[in-house]
Structures are given as structure tokens and as C-alpha cells.
Amino acid sequence: MASATAGRRVDLVKTLLEEAVASAGEALRQSDFGTTMQTFRANRRKAHGTGWSWITALELNQGPPIQRALTAAATLKAAGKGDLFTVEDSEYLGWASQARLAIQRITAKCWSPIPAQIRTLIVDEDDLPDPLGHGYIRNTRVSQLGDLLGPVGLKDPLSRAALRLVWSEAKATPAFLAARESAEAIASDPSLAARLRLRRSETLKQFQPHSTGEMLVAVENRCRELITSTYANEPLKVQEVALSIRAYNRLVQHVLWSILGLAERNEGLPPIVGDTGPIRVRYTDEGTQVAVSYWGDDRRWFPDLTEPFELVSPLTGIYLITGFAMSFAGREIIDLTGKRLGSLEGRSHDTAHMT
Amino acid sequence: MLLRTRPLVFLSSTITELADIRSEVKRQLDQLDIVDSWLFEYHRAASGATPDEQYLAYARTCDLYVVIVADQASPATQAEYEDAVRDNPEKVLPFFIGPDEGATADFRAALGQRHTFVRAGHPDELIEFVVAAIRHAVESGGLVQQGLRAALLESVSRSAALLNLALEFLPRVKLNDGESEGLLLDECLERFGRVLVIGEGGAGKSHGILVTLFRLTQASHKLPLYLTAHEGTRSIEELLESAFDSVRFYPGIDLINQYSREGRLLIGVDGYDELSAESRKRLLALVRGYADRYPRCSYLLAARYLDRSVLPTFTEASMAAISEGQLTDALKAHGYEQVQPRRDLKTELVDLVRRPFWLGALLKAGLSPRSPLAILQALISSRIVQSEPTESIKQVRTRRAAALLALTARPSDRVALPEALDALSVWARHDYIQDTFGQVAAVEYLEDVTASGLIVTNGGTVQFAHSLLAVVLAGEELVRRRDLSPSAVITDPELLPYVAALAADQFPSEMVEVLAASDVFLVARALRLLETRESRAYLESDAARYQKALSALRHLIGPGMPEDTEPEQIHVATDGVWLAISPSPSFEISVISEAEYEQWSNAVRAASDRLVVWTKNPFDDMTPESVAAAEIVLRFKEKLAGLRPSGDPYERADHTVVRRFLDGTTTRDQDIVDAMLTLRRYRSEVIEECGIHRSPYFYEPSGMPLIELFRHGNTARIRVIWGQDSADVRVAAGDGEQWYDDISDYLVADLRPREYRKLLSQVEHALGTPLTVTTWHQPRLVAGWTW
């Protein structure tokens, strides 16, 4: 079982990666990229209040910023409702497609020097085609070249420096070291690589719907099951390399989700303090999970599933929301469950998935 | 007291002048056989009292006063009339015969101004008119409607005086159809005819029923009957008689049955929550039976919680919260223009003030109370101080006497007057009471409490102005006596949370004992009553007390691991501000920094993968026992959540499956019986696993099922009646009530998800908070407030 937080620490409390993620989130929030995200978000919410936007409606609970818009659009297209996009929707989706390329460029930096052809040998949730799945940003292990950051407003030195720090810290984690060792093992063993390639090819073929009548949710459940069981009957060596690459992939996804969630906010995120009641902490193979309640106020009462939150001593760290509920009787109470980013930095994790 | 079983008609006129007419009226009334008549010449009794005392008494107490005015003036008749009209002008039926001039001119003029009279041309006509008027007055109930409405108004006014609750406040309800919000209760009753009014203590149920009965009889001839059930209730007729009796009308069973048959009654039943479990069951059976027997009457039944299946023909309506606008208006009206509830009220009270009683109580008590319990105590104090502003010793003794009466009345909030006086007499004779308060007669104590408005003495009964006041006073008395053995309160589930909450600070270990004998729902309610306190925490002793309480309460949430037979040990880590608690093989306390927390948490994970972390030491705000109680309720929720079966709770069989079933294979009956038995078994398992099988909320049906299928084409509704000697399946006539389940709900492979969902819903009712919202993490709001 992994330790509660496996990474290197700032003042022995927050991990260096968490600190870098918080800085990057703040830098991106103030960049053109963040401003664009915030503008689109405000417009969509306004549209939701005054009119009807299918994208807005379907975006809810669809995963990380940017990806969720593209998932919603793909869902509509799959349902034969592509003509329902408004002009604003189309503009937003155009930008989101570009932004996803930029994100893929950022994640490529997190994976370097592990070659793309090796890191993509392992099947994971980011391989699911849109609109299936809504936990991972798609294709974050592929290699994207060229200046993809500039066109979406990520050319300012502050953002670039902050992102450089993130991928530097990500690559200093035990999770990355384990993934790199696995990549080296694959590179040095052609039969292992061939076996992984075959499994990947077989699995991806099955991601397609069995029939035109198969429900989307059924396809998604089937695909998730496939991903979970892809390496279940493989030799231990195969399982180990798959596990370590997936573990690092999960960390990268959470890092991305946190940065994008922070960047999308109109203002910085205050930590949850004050009367939180007993915070229940559970240590699992999927990381440290917390359940916390707090009172709503003007600044923080309606959490967005995609934004991370911070807790205070002794649980200081960045957490990603895994669920929330609200009580409106009297003063609003918000209950959050979350997973600590720092707890994903360790080496050993199972094949469970971010949900 | 007059012993009467049906309406009494007093026939008043000059006797000799109208002797024949009076005899004939009497004869016809006897023949009619719906009233008793009283005529001086027939019914006077030998008595030490003078004749006028006798007939004036009857004039005052009769139900209908018939006055016939002919030619001769009679001071006796006029005196009778004056007494009768003073009692109730509605009961006076005036008849004139002969010319208006002469000796009776003035009397006729006075009668004509105050009442609607009938003039007869000749004696036969007069007899016919009199008998017809009596018959109509009795059969329509018209003679008593005003009295009944006045009684309702008096009750509403009393409550208004207690709580500053505006008379115009109209209760609204929401139906559990997910659509109808904010419906007025009277609209709801008009629409559905039978309404189960659900709401927490203080949600405005009683007020709602009173106002609804009053409003709906404004423009109709229906009779509004507000019935208060009590432990000894044996029939609805008996409660109806008692309600009529309160306005001194004695219709008798036959007439009550006639009213009921004709749908003339609008019946509101209250007091359910003050009954013991056995009496509740009996009352429900009585209400169900009466409603079935007399479907044309309208019915309201108030309860804090009731499984709708118990009264399947009633529409369930939950009391709606006071709207934001109403709340703001109420605060403004009492001089709190600047108060914003969310900002300015204690967190524990923000949701409460959306309920009529609590809003009224808070306004009356001022905005300083910090908890629900403190509001009630402040309200009691304010009533006493209002009636006795200067003498503090008298205030104390009035409160003590009120508390004694409240305890005497438990589990009800009313007690017979002689019993109340007896209890006060015995109590007043105790040395310590005499030493403290001097020699005070029981009657004087009773008068003081009455003057405070905490009780009302009515018809030989002492009743508390509100059941929540009674319960908190009774709790005070028990805690004062330190009579906190679980046996003293366990049979009174309404009282138990109050006793626990009142004992929390002073007698914490007794509080744990009381809670340990209850169930998790009562623990939640007790927690909800408490207020936070600021006190210095002593970690070592606090942690030890917490651990002890946790062990004592653990059984409330069902069996755990085998090692649960041992006291639960804990390891506490703290830096002086935050506190982390982990299960541990031994009791330990570590003072560490946050930097060391990581290492500590890794070490304790050998014992458990779960920790509870407080960012601020909880023992600063709550007793360790209360913190432990909150932990128990939270664990209950987690345990229940962990028992959720996989599968779709909304799954239904498609029409082909239903048709095959209904077409009747040889195993059909056995299949459905097996399904029901399996369901019951599953439900019992979950309930036992969570430790709530002892709770009255979760009684399990016994015996075998009688299953009725109401077939309608290719579908059917199903009703299950437990308690049979052997299982049976019948295809019944008709479509079945719309409240019965659809058979397609039962013809699925796995019935557990649906049953689990039902169970969750019941748990939510019992706790007063949705399980989807984990407000449980906030112990002070761990449950709603289903007192």
C-alpha cells in the first residue's frame, strides 16, 4: 500500500508537485488562456440561465475542463444532434479542440524522455474515443510537436515557466521513475513490446459499438471493463509495466485536471477552513480520499466538479473533487469527497480508474 | 354535570297559554327520537333548589333553546332566554304566534333584532315549524358549527399568543409527487379528501389542521372536529363525542353516525406522536376503519413520521418550510429589520426558523438562544416571567410545578385535572419543596402555571400549550431528579433525546447510558438539540471519555467485527489545534507536528485504513460523549451505504413478463409469495445489520402474506396484507387503489435494489435528512430535526 502522500515535500507538508501545480494553475488563470476559459465558462453559464445550450447541459459532470466540452459535442453528434450547436458553441468547440492539442503538448513534456511509441503501448482510459468516458483527457500520451501553446494564449513567460516546473516536478516523482523503468524494460524486450502491442490492438478493436443499437452507456461500461481486465491474465511482468505506466498516466491526468480547474476560476481558490467537522480520511490503493463538509458562503458555495480544493493542517494539499452533494435546508452545506494529488505520486497503484 | 347522550332541546314559553302545543311538540320530538326535550311541566325534578334555578340551568346548558312567544308576557321566559343567549346565541330558535302588538311586543322586537324568527298562523303550523326547525338544526349540525369553529379559533389564538404566530399564517404543504409545492393545506384537503400531514415537531401540523378546519367551514355547513388522540382512545366515535362535548353538544352515537354517513364531518386527528407505539397502531387502525366506513367525510391526520403504506388511501403531504419572504416579513414585524438569517443566526438555527413553531418561539424568546433546546427553554422562561415579572422565587416554583405536571402527563402532553392536582399535592408536601417554596397549595401552583400560559385547563383536563414545551419540561424534571436510568425514559421516545441533551453537560455518562438504550435515530435527535459550548479541552481525559462513549454506543449500529466485543481503542494525534483519531490496538495519545502527521498516519494504518481528522479540536466545542455520539451516527450512515446492492432500483418487468405471470402458470402464486418472503427476509437482514431493528420506525410484519392482485387488462396492482396464518394469493375485484404497487415492480430478477431504496427513504424520514447529502460530517447537523 502506498504511503499517504508519496512525493517530495515543501516544509514536509505539501508536495513539490502540488506546489508546482498550484503555481501553474494560478499562472494560467491569469494568462490569456485562462481568461479565454473563464470567458467561455461565464458565457455558457449565462446561456444556461437565459436560453438553452446543449453543450452546457451535457457538459455537467463530464470531466476535466476542455475535454468535457468535446465529450459533450461528440455525444450530441453520436446522437445525430450535431446541428443543435449554436454559433457560440461552435466557437467554443473550435477553441477547445486547439486547447486539447496544447494540453497534449504539455503532457508530452511530462512523459519525456519515455518515447511515445512505448508509453502508448499500454491501454488506458485516455485511449477511449469521444464521447466514451469522461475521466481522462484524450490521447495525452501521444507526441504533439510544434508551437501549440501560443495559439491558445499560453505564450507568456510566467505560464511557460510554471508549466516547466510542473513537468520537472512530475518527472521527479516515484511514479515517473517507475514508469520510466517500465519503459526501459519494454524497450529492451522486443517480445514484451510485441505482446503489449497485440493486447492493445485487440482491446482497441473492441472499443467499437457491437451494433448500431448498442446504448452509449452500455458501450462505455463494456469499454471500462475491458480496460480493467486488459492485463488481468497476462504474466506478472506485463502487469507490472502496465500498472506503473497507468499509475503515472493517472498522476499526469490529475495534474492536468487540477491546473485546468484552477485556470478556469475567476478568482484564486481559498482553502477550506473553519468549521469543517470531522474530515474522514481513507487510504486506498487509488490514493488518499477525504470526505469533508463546509458551510457555503459568498465565495464558495457551489463547487464545480472540475476544480480542485485545498485543505488545511494536518491535511494540507491539493485535492480533486470526486463527488459532492449539497444541502439547501437553511444555510447551505457542501459535502465534498476528494482525492489528494500528492497521494498519487508513489510507485505502486492498482488498475483502478479515476471516476 | 348533566348526563346526556344526545342533544337537549329546551322548550320555553308560557306554560298554561301553550300547554297543548308544548305537549304535541314534545310528543313529536319523542317520536322523532333524535333529541331529548326538556319541558318544565314534564321534567322538573324535586330539588332543594328553587324552580327558577332549575330551569335557568337547563336554559344555559341545553343545546337548542326553542322560545315560543304568544300573547302573554312572562318574566320567567325572558330570564331563560337571557341565560340561553348568553351561552350561545346560535342555539336560540324563536317562534311567534298571534299578533305582534300587546304584552309581548317588546320581547318580540328584541328577538327579531337578534335572531331569525318564524311566524306561525295557527297552532298546527307552529308545531310543524318547531319540530322541523329542531330536526334541521340537529341533522345539519348547524346548531353546533359556530361553537366548534369558535373552539378552533380559540386554540389558534392560544397558539398565536404563545408564539407570536400570526393568525393569518396559512400553512402550506408539498405533496410527495415531486410536483405540487406550496399548496395550501385546505386546497389539498379539498382536492384529496384524506390527507396525512407529515412534519417535524414544530413544522406547523397542529396549527395547519386547526386553520384548515376553520377555513373550510367558513362557507359550508360541515362540522369541523379537531380530535386529540390519547392513550385510552378506543374509537373515533369516542373522540368525536369528546370534541362535541367540548362545545357542550351531546349528539349521541346515532347522530354522529348519521353526520358521518352524510359526510358532514371534517375530521382532524392530532396527538398521534404523543402516543405509545401500541396506541399509535390502534389509532391508525381506527382512523383507517372510520375513513373506510364513512368515505364522504374529510380527514386530516398529523404525524411526525408515518409510512404511507399504513394509510394507503391517504395522500401524504409534508409541511412546507416558511418561504424566504415570509421569514423576512416576520423578522421585520418584530423589529429585526437588519437581521439576515443566514448571516446572523447560529448555524444550528438557520433551518429551524423556516418552521412556524420555531420561528414563533425564536421571535418570542429573542434571537439570543444558540440551540433548539435553548429556544424552548427561553420560551418557557419568557412565559413565566411575563406572568410573574418580579418574584424570582415564584418564577422558579412555577417552572418546577410545570415540569412536574409535564412529567406526570408523559407520554402525553395532557393529564386529568384530579391527577394533576394529586401530583402537585404530593410534591408540594415534600420537605425540600416546602423548605424552598413554603407551604403552597396545589391549586395555587396550578393557577400559577395556568397564568403563565404553559398549560390550559379545559373540560377537566390540563393540557400543555405545545407538546414540545411539555417534553422539555418533563426532561428538565428528570434531569433535576437525576432520574436518568434508561428505564425511566426508554419507553418514551419523544422524551429521550431531550433528557439526553439536557444531561449532556452535567451528567455525560448518564447521557451515554440513556442513548445506549435507544437507537441511532434518537441519538441523532439528541445531538441536534445540543448547543456548542466553549470549554477548555483536557486531551487525555477527553480522549478517554470519547473512547468509553464510543464503545458504549457502538452496538446501536449493529454487529461489527468479532473484536467489537472488546472496548474500542483509539490512537489520538494532535498538535494542539487539529486532532486525528484512528482505531488502534491500545489507547494512545501522541502530540506531534503536522510534519510528523504523515509518518504517524502511515504507522496507524496497520490498524485501520480510516482516520477521522478534525482541523480544530472538537472537545473545545462539545463534550467527548457528544463527539462520540456523532461518530456513531456517521458510522451508521457509512454502514448503510456499504450495504447497497448493485442493480437498478427502478427496474420493472416488461409487459410480456407481466402477461405471462397474470395468465397464470401453476407456480404463479408460489412465485409471488416467495418473492414477498424473500423481500421481508432481505429487509430484516439489512435492518439487523445496521442495528435499527429495535427502532419503532422499522417494525417488521409478522405472519404470512395475503396477496391481492387487482387485475386490469395486462397489468395488475398488488397489495400485501401480512399477519395471516397461511400465505394466500387472490385476484380481487376492481382496479385496486392507485396507491398499491404495480405488479411489474415485483417481477424482476433481483428485488433487493428497490427494497433497499425504500429502506433508505425510511431512514431519511427517521433522521430528517437526505442520505445523499453527507451533512453527517457536521455533528451538530447530523440529522435534521424530526423531534
Side-chain angles (χ1 to χ4, degrees), chain A residues 229-292:
Chain A
S229 60
T230 303
Y231 305 104
N233 297 319
E234 292 295 312
L236 193 58
K237 180 68 183 170
V238 176
Q239 288 190 27
E240 279 174 359
V241 296
L243 278 179
S244 58
I245 288 178
R246 280 184 174 178
Y248 185 63
N249 193 27
R250 175 162 47 208
L251 175 63
V252 171
Q253 289 284 347
H254 278 75
V255 165
L256 277 177
W257 193 328
S258 302
I259 293 172
L260 294 175
L262 290 168
E264 198 179 31
R265 285 185 58 85
N266 290 12
E267 55 184 21
L269 194 67
I272 295 171
V273 292
D275 191 2
T276 54
I279 301 173
R280 304 188 83 77
V281 184
R282 194 171 176 203
Y283 300 109
T284 73
D285 287 335
E286 292 177 61
T288 302
Q289 297 179 344
V290 295
V292 59

Side-chain angles (χ1 to χ4, degrees), chain A residues 79-158:
Chain A
K81 306 280 185 190
D83 56 340
L84 293 176
F85 298 146
T86 62
V87 174
E88 290 78 14
D89 285 343
S90 300
E91 188 191 349
Y92 172 46
L93 292 171
W95 183 84
S97 300
Q98 275 192 305
R100 186 160 70 178
L101 289 175
I103 291 163
Q104 288 164 352
R105 176 81 179 127
I106 294 169
T107 51
K109 292 281 190 184
C110 290
W111 281 97
S112 166
I114 299 174
Q117 64 270 30
I118 291 199
R119 64 195 190 222
T120 53
L121 276 179
I122 306 302
V123 180
D124 207 349
E125 278 209 45
D126 55 334
D127 289 317
L128 284 172
D130 288 332
L132 300 179
H134 46 255
Y136 279 19
I137 299 175
R138 303 286 181 271
N139 302 318
T140 45
R141 286 173 290 150
V142 298
S143 181
Q144 296 288 0
L145 302 175
D147 181 16
L148 299 169
L149 305 190
V152 291
L154 279 173
K155 48 191 169 196
D156 63 292
L158 201 63

Side-chain angles (χ1 to χ4, degrees), chain A residues 1-6 9 11-13 272-284 288 291-295 312-316 324-333 335-336 340, chain B residues 342 345 347 350-351 354-355 575 578-580 594-598 601-602 604-605 608-616 621 631 634-635 638 769-770 772-781 785:
Chain A
M1 203 180 277
S3 68
T5 47
R9 309 302 188 79
D11 296 333
L12 291 170
V13 178
I272 295 171
V273 292
D275 191 2
T276 54
I279 301 173
R280 304 188 83 77
V281 184
R282 194 171 176 203
Y283 300 109
T284 73
T288 302
V292 59
S293 303
Y294 60 92
W295 306 113
V312 296
S313 181
L315 299 169
T316 314
F324 75 87
M326 280 172 286
S327 168
F328 288 105
R331 195 173 156 194
E332 292 86 1
I333 303 171
D335 297 320
L336 288 180
R340 181 160 181 192
Chain B
R342 283 188 199 174
L345 291 181
T347 300
V350 173
D351 58 346
R354 305 293 292 272
R355 266 62 192 174
D575 76 339
W578 54 261
L579 196 94
E594 185 182 6
E596 294 166 312
Y597 167 80
E598 172 75 10
S601 63
N602 283 336
V604 296
R605 283 170 60 191
S608 172
D609 62 355
R610 289 159 192 254
L611 280 178
V612 178
V613 176
W614 300 77
T615 54
K616 181 176 174 296
D621 294 331
E631 173 68 12
L634 179 53
R635 286 188 192 183
E638 287 182 331
T769 190
T772 49
V773 176
T774 49
T775 44
W776 314 70
H777 296 284
Q778 293 285 355
R780 297 191 313 279
L781 294 171
W785 25 280

